[in-house]
């Protein structure tokens, strides 16, 4: 397993009226982040929040290219990103769901203190696979063919690439002391967007080549 320090190349925020950043996703142009009572769309080039959708958004966020998905308490909502309308809902697979990602035609849901990642059918909510993880799971992200998740436990946080079949840790990027990762999403090129929890910030971590 490779382990190296996370290279933080940019930071956004804190943002007015935002006490914490939970889920994070990227739609190819904008970074969406969940703040508890709304989803905000950030233009990463100008570092400005373009708009927000008022809805329950207290954990992970994902995008399938056309729709947003948002954990809202014990449900996962499928959302129209233009109107903010909830189009469908499925049950969340655990009581302490954290991260959320889209990959391989499914949703991948982090189970925080359960230390699990669940592959979930986006239409029915059926759990298709459960991966056991070594630490508390926060954000979850598919980066091409790679599955990554954030950890935040005992004051230490990192980003981990894991084997999507076995859950085995393949590499780690260690965050600086005092910087935690809540939400996590890759841009598909060279960077991760990381929610900073109660700091109210978004941090950009360079993905190793």
């Amino acid at each position: 397993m490779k382990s190296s320090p996370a290279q933080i190349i940019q930071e956004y925020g804190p943002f007015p009226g935002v006490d914490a950043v939970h889920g994070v996703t990227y739609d190819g142009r904008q970074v969406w982040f969940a703040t508890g009572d709304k989803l905000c769309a950030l233009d990463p080039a100008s570092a400005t929040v373009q708009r927000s959708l008022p809805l329950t958004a207290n954990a992970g966020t994902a995008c399938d290219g056309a729709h947003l998905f948002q954990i809202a308490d014990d449900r996962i909502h499928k959302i129209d990103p233009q109107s903010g309308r909830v189009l469908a809902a499925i049950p969340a697979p655990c009581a302490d769901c954290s991260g959320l990602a889209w990959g391989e035609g499914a949703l991948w849901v982090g189970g925080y203190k359960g230390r699990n990642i669940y592959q979930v059918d986006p239409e029915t909510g059926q759990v298709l696979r459960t991966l056991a993880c070594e630490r508390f799971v926060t954000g979850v992200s598919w980066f091409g063919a790679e599955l990554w998740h954030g950890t935040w436990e005992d004051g230490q946080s990192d980003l981990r690439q894991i084997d999507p079949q076995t859950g085995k840790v393949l590499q780690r990027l260690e965050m600086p002391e005092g910087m935690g990762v809540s939400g996590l999403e890759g841009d598909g090129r060279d960077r991760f967007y990381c929610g900073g929890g109660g700091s109210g910030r978004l941090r950009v971590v360079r993905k190793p080549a």
Side-chain angles (χ1 to χ4, degrees), residues 140-201:
V140 181
S141 177
W142 273 91
F143 202 114
E146 299 176 359
L147 178 58
W148 289 74
H149 75 87
T151 76
W152 196 347
E153 186 174 353
D154 297 331
Q156 296 179 324
S157 188
D158 59 36
L159 280 61
R160 299 184 169 207
Q161 182 194 356
I162 63 171
D163 185 308
Q165 301 299 321
T166 66
K168 178 183 177 181
V169 180
L170 303 177
Q171 66 172 311
R172 296 170 52 223
L173 304 178
E174 300 173 8
M175 293 294 287
E177 185 176 353
M179 288 190 185
V181 174
S182 50
L184 176 67
E185 183 67 295
D187 71 348
R189 295 187 296 273
D190 61 358
R191 60 189 58 198
F192 289 105
Y193 293 102
C194 304
S199 72
R201 298 176 186 271

Side-chain angles (χ1 to χ4, degrees), residues 40-190:
C40 298
L42 173 80
D43 173 24
S46 65
T48 58
V49 173
Q50 303 294 302
R51 62 196 185 101
S52 61
L53 304 176
L55 42 80
T56 302
N58 49 19
T61 312
C63 180
D64 67 357
H67 307 95
L68 298 170
F69 293 85
Q70 177 61 53
I71 297 174
D73 300 322
D74 63 348
R75 310 290 287 173
I76 300 174
H77 289 159
K78 181 179 181 180
I79 299 163
D80 178 347
Q82 300 306 315
S83 67
R85 188 164 64 94
V86 176
L87 304 175
I90 57 174
C94 56
D96 61 345
C97 288
S98 51
L100 186 64
W102 177 270
E104 299 188 336
L107 291 168
W108 298 73
V109 187
Y112 179 54
K113 290 188 177 180
R115 298 184 176 93
N116 290 318
I117 295 176
Y118 304 92
Q119 182 188 14
V120 173
D121 184 309
E123 300 296 329
T124 66
Q126 178 186 356
V127 175
L128 307 174
R129 185 188 324 176
T130 301
L131 295 172
C133 300
E134 296 178 355
R135 289 172 58 82
F136 291 169
V137 176
T138 56
V140 181
S141 177
W142 273 91
F143 202 114
E146 299 176 359
L147 178 58
W148 289 74
H149 75 87
T151 76
W152 196 347
E153 186 174 353
D154 297 331
Q156 296 179 324
S157 188
D158 59 36
L159 280 61
R160 299 184 169 207
Q161 182 194 356
I162 63 171
D163 185 308
Q165 301 299 321
T166 66
K168 178 183 177 181
V169 180
L170 303 177
Q171 66 172 311
R172 296 170 52 223
L173 304 178
E174 300 173 8
M175 293 294 287
E177 185 176 353
M179 288 190 185
V181 174
S182 50
L184 176 67
E185 183 67 295
D187 71 348
R189 295 187 296 273
D190 61 358

Side-chain angles (χ1 to χ4, degrees), residues 16-52:
V18 173
D19 296 325
V21 174
H22 304 292
V24 180
T25 195
Y26 181 66
D27 66 7
R29 297 182 302 108
Q30 298 173 311
V31 180
W32 292 85
F33 60 97
T35 69
D37 59 359
K38 60 183 179 290
L39 264 175
C40 298
L42 173 80
D43 173 24
S46 65
T48 58
V49 173
Q50 303 294 302
R51 62 196 185 101
S52 61

